[in-house]
Structures are given as structure tokens and as C-alpha cells.
Amino acid sequence: MSRTSDTLPASTPRLFVDAPMSEGAHVTLPAPASHYLGGVMRLGEGDAVKLFDDSTGEWLGRVEGGTRKALGVRLVEQLRPREAVADLWLCVAPLKRGRIDWVAEKACELGVARLVPVLTARTVVDKLNLDRLRAHMVEAAEQCGRTALPELAEPVSLTALLNGWNPARTLIFADEEGGAPLAATLRDCPAPAAILIGPEGGFTDAERAAIRALNAARPVSLGPRILRADTAAAVAVGVWQAVVGES
């Protein structure tokens, strides 16, 4: 990590830029980011900003001309390389708007490598705005100091997911009807791994049987309490990261 990052004020704005960056490069920010920095934060020539790109890491930039709709930033130095991310997928049935947005945010905050929307028999939402979900992940990364974003997959049916499953990737199946204790099971489930969370109505008997028939599946219990699907996703990912994720 660059020593410069230790001297920057905590209030230094930090934004995601969807383009690879390099030392000395000039970046023209899109209109929303330009308005935020120039119109809201009132940054002027020479003021510092942190930018990250989900590829090369985090960079120190200095405002260099432009307008409030197209602000220019000169990249001065790399502050941090892109962080290493454990190879964990979160496969989750889409939820209603607001709650699936929250899941996307937490997937980013907790260091998930890939978010996979899975369509099941009882999924109540069959259309997702992936651009909106990615925007929520970007905002979470900006606020939490992340330099990596989860890959966001296209929605896939549960049948297709299981049929194409790589047996080398453990599938941690949060079964509402019970399974092995979560923490104890996860000790034997290092990356590559995936966590599967069903819809609010749960999996059907046929779906549960198909999941359990997969050799890579590890049915687990999240405890005695009834959890909403969004809560279950955050709990399972958080425990996996604490037990094996980045140790």
C-alpha cells in the first residue's frame, strides 16, 4: 500500500471508474461522477480523489480541468493493487426489489466473488434489473473501501445450474428442513465453493432432492431460527468468510 494513502484526509471522495487505469493517465469522469465531485463536493483544480476500477486497484487522482458534466482527473500514483478475493459464489433466488438490492450490497461488502441469481419453482421475481444490482454493488464498494466487485451472472434456472455444476466446487446448500451444523461443515469447504439460498417459499421437494443428489452438495442448517432469505444469505457468507474465506 502506498504511504500517500495514510496522509489523505478521510473525507477524500472515492469513486468507481469503469476503465483500466495507469499512472499518469488522464481520466474523464462520466456525468454523474463529475456532478458529484464538482457540484456536490465542490472539488476544484488539484484536489485529490480516489478512483478504483476492479482491475488495477485504487489510485490517487488530482482534478485537472473539465466541466461538472465531464470532469478530468490525472492519475498520480497507485494507492493499492486490486485485493485478492476468495473464490466463493453466492447463488440466490431473486427477491423483491429492495431486498435483492440489499443482498447485492452485502455480497460485495462480504467479499463474494460471483453473485448468481437462480430461478426456482417458487421464485416470485423472474425479471431482474442487473444494471441496478451492479450499481448497488458499486456503491457498497465505494463506501466500504473495496477494490474488487463481484461478478454478476445472468439469471439461471436451478436445473441448468445443477446440470452444469463443476464437481470441484463445493455447493453449500442452506436447507430449511435441516442439515449439518453450518460452522463445523464449512471447515471442510474451502474455495472453490458456493452457497445456495432458496426463495422465501423454500425449495420444492423435487428441487431439494435434486440438490442433495449432487455429489458436491453439502446440506447445512443455519440454526434453529427462521431466517428470511436475504438474512440467510448474509449469515452463510459471513460465517464462511470467518471460518475459511481469507485464512
Side-chain angles (χ1 to χ4, degrees):
M1 181 181 294
S2 169
R3 293 182 180 178
T4 302
S5 60
D6 296 332
T7 64
L8 292 173
S11 59
T12 302
R14 184 175 187 274
L15 295 174
F16 170 74
V17 175
D18 193 12
M21 296 185 286
S22 60
E23 186 172 340
H26 183 274
V27 177
T28 300
L29 300 179
S34 296
H35 171 73
Y36 172 72
L37 294 180
V40 179
M41 299 302 293
R42 303 291 183 181
L43 295 193
E45 191 82 17
D47 285 340
V49 59
K50 295 179 181 179
L51 302 178
F52 68 101
D53 61 1
D54 192 30
S55 175
T56 61
E58 181 179 76
W59 294 79
L60 169 64
R62 298 284 179 182
V63 175
E64 188 180 73
T67 68
R68 291 187 180 181
K69 291 185 178 181
L71 199 66
V73 174
R74 179 71 63 183
L75 301 180
V76 177
E77 66 173 298
Q78 187 185 50
L79 300 176
R80 292 185 291 159
R82 185 183 188 273
E83 66 195 272
V85 177
D87 188 5
L88 175 69
W89 296 3
L90 175 58
C91 305
V92 59
L95 306 171
K96 293 180 180 178
R97 181 172 179 172
R99 292 171 65 186
I100 190 61
D101 298 338
W102 187 89
V103 170
E105 291 173 0
K106 303 314 162 189
C108 181
E109 289 179 37
L110 292 168
V112 166
R114 190 167 190 250
L115 178 62
V116 185
V118 181
L119 305 179
T120 70
R122 293 173 179 163
T123 299
V124 296
V125 176
D126 58 2
K127 292 183 180 180
L128 286 177
N129 186 329
L130 296 182
D131 289 337
R132 190 187 76 242
L133 289 185
R134 180 168 170 80
H136 280 282
M137 292 195 291
V138 166
E139 184 178 356
E142 289 174 343
Q143 294 177 353
C144 297
R146 299 294 314 281
T147 56
L149 294 169
E151 177 189 350
L152 181 57
E154 292 286 337
V156 61
S157 70
L158 178 63
T159 299
L161 181 77
L162 298 179
N163 287 343
W165 197 259
N166 181 348
R169 182 178 298 276
T170 303
L171 181 60
I172 302 156
F173 166 40
D175 190 346
E176 65 270 20
E177 292 198 356
L182 178 62
T185 302
L186 294 187
R187 294 189 183 97
D188 297 321
C189 299
I195 292 170
L196 176 61
I197 304 292
E200 290 293 352
F203 292 105
T204 65
D205 291 342
E207 288 173 333
R208 184 176 294 103
I211 297 167
R212 284 178 170 264
L214 201 68
N215 288 335
R218 301 291 184 271
V220 297
S221 168
L222 300 185
R225 297 171 184 82
I226 297 174
L227 303 180
R228 299 196 325 182
D230 46 352
T231 305
V235 167
V237 173
V239 173
W240 188 91
Q241 291 286 23
V243 173
V244 296
E246 291 157 7
S247 58

